[in-house]
Amino acid sequence: MQATASIWLDEPYTPRPPLEGRLSSEICIVGAGIAGLSAAWRMLELGVRPVVLDALTVAGGATGRNGGFFMAGVAPRYDEACRLWGPEVAARRYRATLDSQLDLLAFAGEVCARD
Ligand SMILES: Cc1cc2nc3c(=O)[nH]c(=O)nc-3n(C[C@H](O)[C@H](O)[C@H](O)COP(=O)(O)OP(=O)(O)OC[C@H]3O[C@@H](n4cnc5c(N)ncnc54)[C@H](O)[C@@H]3O)c2cc1C
């Protein structure tokens, strides 16, 4: 079997330069993985311009190396989540992951419409 690159790694990438000197910002996000970048994206939508810093490369951690499965739900199984956090919190967290999926689908639709 031949190894292939994931589509999100199969593009030329020029590493961002290191931060030089001093910079001030209302918000600094440490970590340019999916968590940091989606927080930054939300902030931009709200009119806040954050600085995102990463010790290595953008999406160089788990974000750029995962299986690419588009899943809903949290790490524990739903019955386990209910036991751990109670049914209300478990349901709220599960619903939040479904909402995130809808956001991503809408975003993907916008990108496809642009291209
Ligand atoms: C093998 C594998 C397969 C997976 N498959 C899936 C899947 O199919 N579907 C799915 O939904 N999820 C999957 N996941 C989980 C998913 O990839 C992660 O939950 C998600 O990418 C985590 O994103 P993150 O932004 O929190 O962390 P990361 O992507 O790890 O980003 C953290 C970033 O912070 C930087 N950083 C860390 N410490 C510092 C510091 N002190 N200063 C500056 N920068 C720092 C790192 O360099 C890194 O870039 C998988 C995970 C793995 C490991």
Side-chain angles (χ1 to χ4, degrees):
M1 189 192 306
Q2 194 188 347
T4 56
S6 308
I7 52 168
W8 53 93
L9 294 176
D10 196 15
E11 294 267 336
Y13 172 72
T14 310
R16 303 292 194 275
L19 177 65
E20 302 276 356
R22 294 172 71 88
L23 193 65
S24 51
S25 171
E26 231 179 315
I27 297 182
C28 175
I29 297 172
V30 178
I34 187 77
L37 292 178
S38 28
W41 174 31
R42 286 277 177 245
M43 284 174 202
L44 284 173
E45 285 181 335
L46 297 171
V48 181
R49 209 176 144 76
V51 167
V52 182
L53 296 178
D54 198 289
L56 300 168
T57 54
V58 173
T63 297
R65 294 157 195 284
N66 67 40
F69 291 101
F70 186 47
M71 298 176 294
V74 290
R77 272 195 342 250
Y78 190 67
D79 59 328
E80 206 183 322
C82 287
R83 198 169 37 75
L84 283 170
W85 305 319
E88 261 180 51
V89 172
R92 209 162 51 231
R93 289 184 178 169
Y94 189 79
R95 215 171 296 123
T97 69
L98 292 174
D99 290 345
S100 294
Q101 278 195 322
L102 291 178
D103 282 353
L104 268 175
L105 285 171
F107 180 64
E110 277 171 36
V111 172
C112 289
R114 251 186 265 150
D115 293 345

